[in-house]
Amino acid sequence: MEQTRFRVEGMDCASCAAKIDKAVRRVSGVEDVSVSVAASTMTVRHNPSHDLPLSVQQQVKQLGYSASVLSATEQPHTHTHVEASSCCTGDHDHHDHAEHRHEHAADHAHGAQIDLHSHNHAATTGPWWASSKAKLTFYSLAALALAYGIGHILPAYQGWIFTAALLVGLIPIARRAFMAARFGTIFSIEMLMTIAAVGAVVIGAQEEAATVVVLFLIGELLEGMAATKARASIQSLASLVPKIALLEDGASTREIPADALAVGNVIMVRPGDRIPADGIILSGESAIDEAPVTGESTPVRKGPDATVFAGTVNADSVLRIRVTAAATDNTIARIIRLVEEAQESKAPTERFIDRFSTYYTPGVVLIAALVAVAPPLLAGGDWAEWIYKGLAILLIGCPCALVISTPAAIAASLSAGARRGLLLKGGAVLERLGKINTVCFDKTGTLTEGKPVVTDVVAFSTDTAKVLRLSAALEAGSNHPLAKAILDKAAREGLSVSQASEAKAVGGKGVLGTFEGMSLFLGSPNAAEEQAGLDDGQRSTISRLHADGKTVSVLVIDGVVAGALAMRDEPREDAIAALRTLQNMGVETLMLTGDNNQTAKAIGADLGIDVRAELLPQDKQHIVAQLQGRGRIVAKVGDGINDAPALAAADIGIAMGGGTDVALETADAAILHGRVSDVPEMILLSKRTMRNIGQNITVALGLKAVFLVTTLLGITGLWPAIMADTGATVLVTLNALRLLRA
């Protein structure tokens, strides 16, 4: 099977998506279809065929929309996630995070736009008032106003005048209804609208029928505007990347389009400019404002060898950067692509409502028919009165608001999360996150920074500044992580460091050299014991540092123990607060690490978290399975590589990453910026989303129930009925859009 992804123009409601889904499934060779209203995309799983994408485009075009095949870089990166396998059965024990199929399809031209009178679902790009949907609404409104004016002048012809006004809007609606019915969607909102309008004309309610059509078109226009706003939320990220880049060309620089940059190019970024591509800093040091991409509020100081993202802002110094990703594959492009793909996958609640609506709509039609004919036949009721009530119930029963209630909320939450650096792979992941009651964390690079820092400088026979300066002199020029920690500490203390002469490493022991006439050695306590011997006080100090999970290097000057430096991979700044937040939410936390027990216990004590240490990858997986066996719903947070077995076994796998391919593409969810606090934020986002969905369903069904009763009692008629439907849809969509601010 291959997968091809399309951009669908003019699709802005649940009814649109349902019609397209059914129609495309009828194309020979199509196996599965996923449609996202929020992203305006459709992914089709099909048999290998060069002509099939064109057949799909033609099928969509006949419905009154246009579809175009997305470029190869925007085609789906297939993952088997919870929502694609076991979420409906409740079996969440296994996720396949390893399956990545990159299927590509040739580009086809955009489907030809269809004129105003064939449909009103043209592309929603540009101002809303310039769209064909808006034009049709304006024409229908003008025709209705004109009918009222002429009808007062020629009251004898009012019926014909309002019928003519009605036809301005009804003909396009009826065409869409019959095309949808032809391709499998018999009970579409357009079909219900057409039946109700024609029925109203038959019983002499032409004026009301024309008004109902105008209200329907206004409601659809409002739906389209709301859908466009939701769609623009994530697409607006693309505007963060500058259009122009300064490319190094020999000894000079020249401006080129940013999307023409290739991997390996060297670019210059001036202070105040946005970085035009993902890359690695070659020279320069500057504060980088990453808020647009990761949500990190505080600028991050970065220098040579640090990774930078497209769209972030260089604050104060010139940087030379080597490009590591082309424009179509930079961090922002991948975020947009991944969020759009995620919006195509349905959550369990959404799938349930879809199944419910397939029975609900025919049921409503049946009830409306019974209301229209049963009282006159069985009780001698007035035919016109009860047909009128039946037509109103037909409009009230449209499931648009109900069907859009879940996908609108999920799309808004996925977009809100992405703008904060929280990437969730679909509605099922978002829905299940709120049920998590146990979170298992990796240690290195997840709860900790992933690099050692000097925590203690201890002087035995000299002062601490000298111990640090001489140690840095020995390590100058080294790329070893411990050496970098010492040099960083010296830089923070403002010490001037020169490189020791004749410096060389002593295998498994340390480094020695000569500096300012002194013979220096820096190495492990055991090696220092061999070099100069340690007294009891020194051994006690070193043992205490070891007990805190720190690595100790001892400095020896001319055969005398001068001092020691203690280093440790320290917890992230927000780790303690984040773990406390999870615990206050009733979520159990656990550290699973392969590090030695002493170091892990020391970090765990600082963080206030239970620890399991000295674990192999399969041990972590086994612990996750044990927790699930006790009925716990488990999230595993790790780097996406070493923790792969545990990430796959967990109900939700969350990868911590700095925009790496692994962090973005392997787990169920990814935290773009390394904030532990984003884990409880993900869970809270899920809970807010589910509350919002509950509110939406209540509004959708509640309004229908109220107007159903008032219609049967004769209090309300056709136009309040259509307002109940379109009004509920708009209210539900606007309520979902509140999540964009989450």
Side-chain angles (χ1 to χ4, degrees):
M1 287 290 171
E2 291 183 356
Q3 290 196 87
T4 305
R5 196 152 177 255
F6 299 82
R7 179 75 63 196
V8 181
E9 296 290 356
M11 175 177 62
D12 51 25
C13 67
S15 175
C16 301
K19 286 181 290 190
I20 292 169
D21 186 294
K22 279 193 176 182
V24 173
R25 287 179 188 275
R26 293 191 166 205
V27 176
S28 178
V30 169
E31 178 72 17
D32 194 24
V33 181
S34 297
V35 184
S36 169
V37 176
S40 274
T41 57
M42 171 178 65
T43 297
V44 179
R45 189 165 178 258
H46 57 85
N47 293 325
S49 169
H50 178 72
D51 296 329
L52 194 140
L54 185 57
S55 299
V56 169
Q57 287 177 286
Q58 291 171 343
Q59 190 87 327
V60 172
K61 179 180 176 181
Q62 289 186 75
L63 283 173
Y65 307 87
S66 67
S68 56
V69 178
L70 292 174
S71 64
T73 55
E74 296 175 292
Q75 288 302 320
H77 298 240
T78 304
H79 309 275
T80 303
H81 289 293
V82 191
E83 67 272 20
S85 55
S86 59
C87 55
C88 290
T89 63
D91 177 10
H92 295 276
D93 291 349
H94 301 284
H95 308 261
D96 181 1
H97 296 277
E99 183 184 351
H100 299 274
R101 291 198 305 276
H102 301 264
E103 304 291 353
H104 307 291
D107 284 323
H108 293 279
H110 281 263
Q113 294 297 322
I114 302 172
D115 64 42
L116 171 67
H117 296 289
S118 63
H119 76 115
N120 67 348
H121 279 285
T124 52
T125 54
W128 66 269
W129 44 264
S131 68
S132 60
K133 175 175 284 191
K135 289 176 182 176
L136 178 59
T137 304
F138 295 152
Y139 292 156
S140 296
L141 188 59
L144 180 62
L146 192 62
Y148 272 110
I150 298 174
H152 282 293
I153 298 172
L154 304 170
Y157 298 96
Q158 270 191 347
W160 294 104
I161 293 167
F162 278 106
T163 299
L166 165 69
L167 292 176
V168 173
L170 186 61
I171 289 175
I173 293 170
R175 284 185 177 179
R176 284 156 46 197
F178 286 110
M179 289 304 297
R182 178 184 166 192
F183 292 114
T185 307
I186 298 173
F187 298 109
S188 65
I189 175 59
E190 289 86 0
M191 184 61 79
L192 301 184
M193 186 69 235
T194 302
I195 294 170
V198 172
V201 171
V202 169
I203 62 173
Q206 295 95 329
E207 179 181 344
E208 198 162 358
T211 305
V212 164
V213 167
V214 169
L215 290 173
F216 172 75
L217 291 173
I218 291 172
E220 277 213 324
L221 180 60
L222 292 173
E223 288 175 34
M225 291 166 62
T228 300
K229 181 178 179 181
R231 197 172 297 136
S233 172
I234 189 65
Q235 285 291 341
S236 64
L237 284 174
S239 64
L240 296 175
V241 181
K243 303 299 182 186
I244 300 297
L246 290 175
L247 176 69
E248 283 197 1
D249 187 4
S252 62
T253 60
R254 59 187 175 90
E255 289 189 351
I256 67 166
D259 56 12
L261 289 172
V263 174
N265 284 163
V266 176
I267 56 176
M268 184 179 76
V269 182
R270 297 167 299 197
D273 286 353
R274 289 190 183 274
I275 296 172
D278 287 1
I280 295 175
I281 297 175
L282 296 178
S283 63
E285 182 177 323
S286 180
I288 307 295
D289 180 6
E290 297 184 336
V293 178
T294 67
E296 179 62 44
S297 58
T298 305
V300 181
R301 197 84 193 169
K302 294 190 175 185
D305 299 328
T307 300
V308 292
F309 306 134
T312 56
V313 181
N314 174 26
D316 51 36
S317 299
V318 174
L319 296 176
R320 291 178 64 249
I321 297 170
R322 185 177 74 249
V323 176
T324 57
T328 54
D329 202 35
N330 63 37
T331 299
I332 286 179
R334 283 183 291 167
I335 288 173
I336 293 171
R337 186 164 63 244
L338 285 164
V339 172
E340 288 187 346
E341 288 176 23
Q343 289 173 351
E344 290 170 7
S345 60
K346 294 184 177 181
T349 301
E350 184 178 354
R351 275 195 295 271
F352 170 77
I353 290 175
D354 282 349
R355 290 195 300 271
F356 173 74
S357 67
T358 60
Y359 299 101
Y360 167 85
T361 309
V364 166
V365 173
L366 179 60
I367 292 171
L370 290 173
V371 167
V373 302
L377 286 176
L378 301 178
D382 180 70
W383 279 97
E385 177 188 348
W386 286 100
I387 288 174
Y388 182 88
K389 289 181 178 180
L391 295 175
I393 289 172
L394 202 63
L395 296 179
I396 291 168
C398 174
C400 273
L402 182 63
V403 174
I404 200 67
S405 61
T406 301
I410 286 174
S413 289
L414 291 173
S415 298
R419 295 185 71 88
R420 184 178 163 77
L422 312 178
L423 302 184
L424 307 170
K425 303 296 184 65
V429 174
L430 179 60
E431 186 169 323
R432 194 152 180 80
L433 265 168
K435 301 174 184 176
I436 293 295
N437 51 32
T438 303
V439 180
C440 297
F441 290 91
D442 183 33
K443 180 181 78 70
T444 305
T446 299
L447 288 174
T448 65
E449 294 286 353
K451 59 182 181 181
V453 295
V454 174
T455 59
D456 302 86
V457 179
V458 180
F460 293 136
S461 61
T462 184
D463 60 86
T464 56
K466 186 174 182 180
V467 171
L468 180 57
R469 184 172 66 86
L470 297 181
S471 298
L474 277 174
E475 298 288 14
S478 173
N479 286 321
H480 190 279
L482 295 181
K484 286 188 174 182
I486 293 170
L487 292 168
D488 287 345
K489 176 68 172 176
R492 288 197 302 272
E493 296 294 330
L495 299 178
S496 177
V497 176
S498 301
Q499 189 168 353
S501 59
E502 302 175 11
K504 63 179 181 179
V506 181
K509 295 185 177 181
V511 60
L512 54 81
T514 303
F515 185 70
E516 295 179 353
M518 295 175 285
S519 176
L520 307 178
F521 172 79
L522 181 68
S524 67
N526 289 339
E529 181 83 69
E530 294 174 8
Q531 289 270 341
L534 298 170
D535 61 33
D536 290 341
Q538 292 165 351
R539 292 192 192 94
S540 176
T541 299
I542 292 169
S543 295
R544 176 177 55 79
L545 294 170
H546 279 156
D548 291 335
K550 298 173 181 177
T551 299
V552 179
S553 293
V554 179
L555 178 67
V556 178
I557 304 175
D558 293 329
V560 177
V561 175
L565 295 97
M567 287 158 279
R568 190 173 73 171
D569 181 13
E570 288 291 270
R572 294 183 183 272
E573 288 184 5
D574 66 337
I576 293 175
L579 292 174
R580 188 176 296 121
T581 299
L582 285 170
Q583 290 156 5
N584 291 339
M585 292 164 59
V587 177
E588 179 184 346
T589 57
L590 187 64
M591 181 199 294
L592 306 181
T593 178
D595 208 344
N596 70 78
N597 191 62
Q598 188 176 43
T599 300
K601 292 287 186 185
I603 294 290
D606 288 348
L607 295 175
I609 185 173
D610 291 336
V611 174
R612 308 279 182 87
E614 299 179 1
L615 301 174
L616 297 173
Q618 57 267 35
D619 297 328
K620 298 179 183 180
Q621 181 185 24
H622 182 63
I623 290 171
V624 168
Q626 281 183 327
L627 290 166
Q628 290 171 326
R630 287 168 27 205
R632 310 298 291 178
I633 301 175
V634 182
K636 176 67 177 71
V637 186
D639 60 14
I641 305 173
N642 299 330
D643 295 306
L647 284 169
D651 295 280
I652 298 291
I654 302 174
M656 296 278 280
T660 64
D661 288 336
V662 169
L664 288 175
E665 295 181 11
T666 56
D668 296 302
I671 294 172
L672 188 62
H673 195 279
R675 290 184 296 241
V676 184
S677 58
D678 281 344
V679 176
E681 281 299 321
M682 273 187 174
I683 296 173
L684 289 171
L685 181 63
S686 171
K687 291 180 182 293
R688 282 195 294 266
T689 304
M690 297 314 296
R691 281 198 302 271
N692 190 280
I693 289 171
Q695 293 163 359
N696 288 346
I697 292 172
T698 301
V699 168
L701 293 179
L703 277 175
K704 291 182 186 303
V706 169
F707 279 89
L708 177 64
V709 173
T710 57
T711 298
L712 290 174
L713 294 175
I715 299 171
T716 55
L718 283 178
W719 71 263
I722 196 63
M723 286 190 68
D725 171 58
T726 57
T729 305
V730 172
L731 285 175
V732 161
T733 306
L734 293 176
N735 186 49
L737 291 179
R738 291 191 305 114
L739 290 167
L740 289 172
R741 301 194 300 271

